[in-house]
Amino acid sequence: MVSDTGLRVEFHESLDDLRDDIVRLGALTVETIGKGTAAVLDRDLHAAQRLIDGDDVIDTLAISIEESCYRLLALQQPMAGDLRFIVCALRFASELERSADLMVNICKASRRIYDVTMSPTVRSLVEDMSIEAASLTRKAIDAFADADEGMAAALDDIDDRLDELQVEFVESIFASHEAERIGLRSAVQLALIGRYYERIGDHAVNMGERVTFMVTGWLPEHAAVARLEMRNRRTTPGV
Amino acid sequence: MTVAVVLLAIALVGALAMCVTLLRRVARAEVAVAAAVSAAEEARSVDPDDSLPRLVAALDALSLGVVVADVDEVLGFRNRSAEEILSSRDSRTIIDRAVRELLVEAVRGEPGEREIDLFGPPRRTFLIRAVPLAGASGMAVGGGSVAVIEDVTERRRTDQVRRDFVSNISHELKTPVGALGLLAETIDDETDPATVRRFTERMGVEVTRLSRTIDDLLELSRIEFADDLFIDDSPIGAIVEEVLARFRGSADLRGVELRAMGELDVVVAGDRRQITSAISNLVDNAVKYSPDGAEVTVSVTCTADAVSVTVADTGDGIPARDLDRVFERFYRVDRARSRDTGGTGLGLAIVRHIAHNHGGEVSVRSREGHGTEFTLTLPVAPKRPPLNDRSNDESEVTA
């Protein structure tokens, strides 16, 4: 028979395993960002296909993490910090899996513009956006693993740089299109690629918010909920 | 009297009891000592020279990662390098899965290896090898397995540089020779004077290209022998002006403006001919890869012990992944465009050798679509590298 203490030790070991799995999923996702960008810039169709096929590994790990979370919730009935940690891991798995899917979308979009030569400025911005997206994702993983509330809160501001790059990227696509170096279809595909990188940054910000919740029990959305309740109270007659 | 006898009897009984207690304690101590001696002997027989801690320390000192799995496929010992790799939070943690899989296969008697490329950054390549460990009964398997994790990034890079060098030099030398052969064959059967003239002009172009490549190879070979350096006071400003004057004609044709700025009155102790050659190569590249109407600037800055000459252009720039390879001989970022501009692919290798000969360095910063900056830094007084120090010398890699 396993004692209560033994059960808790096992439970905390499971939480450590969960943290390791999230770090591994994060590392796989960050790798995907670098590999996918190289495939786009090198116009390497084989590398793009390998990345698309390799997404199954990420999906499998994300599902396995989800199942671990559900198992722990059902069997251990965690409370307070442990409960928030598991809920946070659950969200991380989904956000990371989505970020990796966006890299798959980028590779698919790059196949549609295989015969298009990107201008050096456009190429440079693709590389810059990739570096920013990978850096944000890595910072979100570090914030989770270290329960670093400060880093988590900073991610929203750090993401501004990626947003600016995406705006610059769209402008450079317009410039290429106006100079008749690329057609409208290619311009649209390129704009989508920029949008996908920008969304990866948004997922990193979401992860940061979840880390804040994990550490403090507070979410930025809570402020919005409070404002809505205040407005409803003011507009409800008799209150 | 009776009392004395009783007291003596009590004393004797007490002394006897003490003796028995002492004897018992001695006996227990003897047993304990014997047990300790026996345990020590047993430990020594298992670990004859008390070498286990030293063995662990030795494994920890390795740059290779070592992971051992027991016969039940449970991962046990990890040396320090393996711990660092597998518990990292960056992409190296991905290796963990491959290590586990290979160890499990090796426990079952199947050795294996896998190479894993990680984009990072930094980009790295790891080679993992796992083999079964012999069992206690001397069987080939049954003792678990061991995996070794090796960072082969540098080795793979060197292999790639060597492969590319052989392929590039073959291409650079064989292409004009092949063209000359074909043109000569065609002229042989040709009677139309206009066509013959066209082909001979074309042969002239190919001969010039081949001759330029051979000249650069000879120049590089000369520069590699740092012994023939002629150290003298070399005025950087005068050298820069001389180089700019040489390229002004070709720059003007394309509306490219050449400008010199900074501390042009500085003097370094160096080989003037080599320094001129290095700056020429940098300015030549900058002019070639600048768009029409652009500006190329050569700026000189000076610290207490070094002078830096920066040549900046506003051309297309160099992709980040090519930056650390542009100093290799015959390395081309864009092969088609390089041939159009008439480059031999040796210019930057020459610059690097010259910098090295003077104990200086050359670096590059670039951003695609925004231009490139090459900076040649030379010590004011040259620090001659030892002759056997060729760690940064491409010839070690490509020769």
Side-chain angles (χ1 to χ4, degrees):
Chain A
M1 184 177 166
V2 184
S3 67
D4 278 359
T5 316
L7 274 176
R8 296 328 281 174
V9 169
E10 198 182 310
F11 171 55
H12 283 110
E13 280 173 0
S14 301
L15 294 184
D16 288 342
D17 290 345
L18 192 55
R19 183 182 290 111
D20 290 347
D21 281 345
I22 292 288
V23 168
R24 196 166 299 120
L25 182 62
L28 283 167
T29 305
V30 171
E31 274 291 293
T32 304
I33 297 171
K35 281 181 183 162
T37 305
V40 171
L41 294 176
D42 296 343
R43 290 195 278 184
D44 186 340
L45 294 176
H46 293 293
Q49 189 60 49
R50 274 199 303 275
L51 186 134
I52 293 164
D53 295 341
D55 189 50
D56 291 346
V57 174
I58 291 180
D59 290 350
T60 306
L61 181 55
I63 286 172
S64 149
I65 289 171
E66 259 190 62
E67 284 171 355
S68 299
C69 291
Y70 294 141
R71 200 177 308 118
L72 287 169
L73 287 170
L75 299 179
Q76 302 288 345
Q77 299 183 354
M79 287 188 294
D82 291 341
L83 176 61
R84 292 200 300 272
F85 175 82
I86 295 169
V87 170
C88 183
L90 207 48
R91 283 296 295 262
F92 257 68
S94 135
E95 300 280 359
L96 288 169
E97 189 265 336
R98 190 70 203 115
S99 293
D101 283 348
L102 287 165
M103 282 314 298
V104 169
N105 291 352
I106 286 173
C107 282
K108 287 181 176 171
S110 80
R111 295 200 299 201
R112 294 183 199 112
I113 51 168
Y114 174 69
D115 54 349
V116 173
T117 304
M118 286 186 251
S119 75
T121 308
V122 169
R123 289 172 56 83
S124 165
L125 285 165
V126 167
E127 191 136 33
D128 288 349
M129 287 191 296
S130 160
I131 291 167
E132 284 296 325
S135 164
L136 277 161
T137 308
R138 186 171 294 124
K139 285 185 174 80
I141 300 296
D142 285 346
F144 171 76
D146 295 334
D148 184 344
E149 187 197 347
M151 173 57 75
L155 285 172
D156 195 10
D157 291 333
I158 299 172
D159 183 45
D160 288 350
R161 168 82 184 129
L162 183 52
D163 294 343
E164 285 164 15
L165 283 170
Q166 195 235 345
V167 171
E168 205 181 322
F169 183 65
V170 171
E171 281 167 5
S172 73
I173 295 168
F174 286 157
S176 284
H177 180 57
E178 279 163 15
E180 296 183 352
R181 283 196 294 268
I182 54 169
L184 184 60
R185 281 170 189 273
S186 307
V188 170
Q189 292 301 328
L190 280 171
L192 281 173
I193 287 175
R195 172 74 177 144
Y196 295 144
Y197 279 117
E198 191 262 336
R199 285 296 301 150
I200 293 175
D202 291 346
H203 283 294
V205 174
N206 288 348
M207 287 188 269
E209 287 175 358
R210 291 293 147 179
V211 171
T212 305
F213 174 70
M214 180 179 85
V215 179
T216 66
W218 182 86
L219 266 177
E221 282 81 356
H222 286 155
V225 172
R227 279 197 302 274
L228 184 65
E229 278 176 2
M230 186 83 81
R231 275 201 299 273
N232 288 344
R233 230 177 278 141
R234 279 193 203 129
T235 52
T236 308
V239 175
Chain B
M1 177 72 188
T2 312
V3 173
V5 170
V6 169
L7 285 173
L8 186 62
I10 290 170
L12 280 171
V13 169
L16 193 64
M18 275 178 69
C19 284
V20 169
T21 308
L22 276 170
L23 283 170
R24 275 185 185 156
R25 280 185 186 165
V26 168
R28 273 207 297 268
E30 275 177 359
V31 169
V33 168
V37 168
S38 162
E41 278 171 359
E42 194 181 324
R44 231 178 263 132
S45 69
V46 173
D47 183 18
D49 295 310
D50 193 22
S51 59
L52 192 60
R54 281 196 292 147
L55 186 62
V56 170
L59 286 169
D60 278 344
L62 289 176
S63 60
L64 300 170
V66 179
V67 186
V68 181
D70 65 20
V71 72
D72 297 321
E73 302 174 359
V74 176
L75 268 59
F77 174 78
R78 294 171 170 191
N79 73 344
R80 196 168 291 156
S81 295
E83 191 60 43
E84 190 195 321
I85 292 168
L86 300 178
S87 62
S88 72
R89 291 214 196 118
D90 56 35
S91 49
R92 290 176 297 169
T93 189
I94 297 169
I95 296 172
D96 183 60
R97 187 190 173 96
V99 170
R100 280 171 197 277
E101 285 171 3
L102 286 168
L103 279 169
V104 167
E105 282 168 19
V107 167
R108 294 168 190 169
E110 291 170 27
E113 67 174 51
R114 206 176 294 176
E115 194 167 293
I116 297 182
D117 268 321
L118 300 177
F119 263 67
R123 207 168 167 165
R124 292 167 98 165
T125 306
F126 288 91
L127 179 65
I128 308 159
R129 287 197 193 92
V131 289
L133 291 173
S137 54
M139 292 173 68
V141 292
S145 61
V146 61
V148 176
I149 309 164
E150 186 181 4
D151 185 343
V152 292
T153 312
E154 198 48 38
R155 201 194 306 163
R156 292 290 177 266
R157 195 191 75 82
T158 308
D159 290 347
Q160 184 67 39
V161 168
R162 189 176 289 127
R163 268 199 305 275
D164 287 351
F165 175 72
V166 172
S167 144
N168 290 340
I169 195 167
S170 308
H171 178 82
E172 295 296 335
L173 296 177
K174 283 174 81 175
T175 304
V177 171
L180 284 171
L182 277 173
L183 288 162
E185 252 177 54
T186 316
I187 288 171
D188 205 24
D189 298 330
E190 188 58 61
T191 52
D192 177 26
T195 309
V196 170
R197 196 178 312 116
R198 197 154 50 84
F199 284 161
T200 51
E201 277 170 11
R202 184 70 202 152
M203 285 175 83
V205 170
E206 295 300 338
V207 167
T208 307
R209 175 176 294 165
L210 191 58
S211 158
R212 205 181 297 135
T213 303
I214 292 168
D215 285 348
D216 274 1
L217 271 173
L218 290 173
E219 169 83 355
L220 188 58
S221 167
R222 266 196 303 274
I223 288 166
E224 276 179 0
F225 291 99
D227 283 348
D228 65 358
L229 269 186
F230 181 72
I231 303 292
D232 197 5
D233 283 348
S234 302
I236 292 294
I239 294 173
V240 168
E241 286 303 337
E242 182 189 326
V243 170
L244 292 189
R246 193 187 301 167
F247 289 100
R248 196 147 272 137
S250 57
D252 285 349
L253 282 176
R254 295 180 36 236
V256 174
E257 192 187 340
L258 301 179
R259 285 180 60 207
M261 59 174 78
E263 299 168 66
L264 295 167
D265 53 351
V266 69
V267 173
V268 298
D271 185 318
R272 181 170 179 155
R273 196 180 63 83
Q274 287 200 6
I275 295 172
T276 306
S277 169
I279 297 174
S280 289
N281 272 303
L282 295 179
V283 173
D284 188 19
N285 275 350
V287 172
K288 275 179 195 161
Y289 293 105
S290 284
D292 293 356
E295 184 182 79
V296 170
T297 57
V298 182
S299 49
V300 182
T301 53
C302 190
T303 62
D305 49 12
V307 173
S308 295
V309 181
T310 301
V311 180
D313 67 58
T314 53
D316 285 348
I318 301 168
R321 66 184 180 285
D322 292 309
L323 277 179
D324 61 346
R325 299 201 61 188
V326 290
F327 295 105
E328 291 168 19
R329 299 177 201 187
F330 296 115
Y331 187 78
R332 311 282 204 173
V333 173
D334 181 344
R335 189 181 287 272
R337 186 154 177 224
S338 300
R339 287 185 69 81
D340 288 347
T341 56
T344 61
L346 290 167
L348 290 175
I350 289 173
V351 176
R352 188 166 75 164
H353 275 287
I354 291 171
H356 179 78
N357 284 354
H358 287 78
E361 60 178 23
V362 60
S363 60
V364 58
R365 283 198 324 158
S366 187
R367 190 165 141 73
E368 272 191 282
H370 293 82
T372 304
E373 264 187 26
F374 282 96
T375 301
L376 172 69
T377 304
L378 301 170
V380 175
K383 289 174 282 186
R384 290 284 301 278
L387 287 175
N388 59 353
D389 175 16
R390 296 277 174 174
S391 54
N392 287 324
D393 190 331
E394 208 55 52
S395 63
E396 286 298 298
V397 175
T398 53

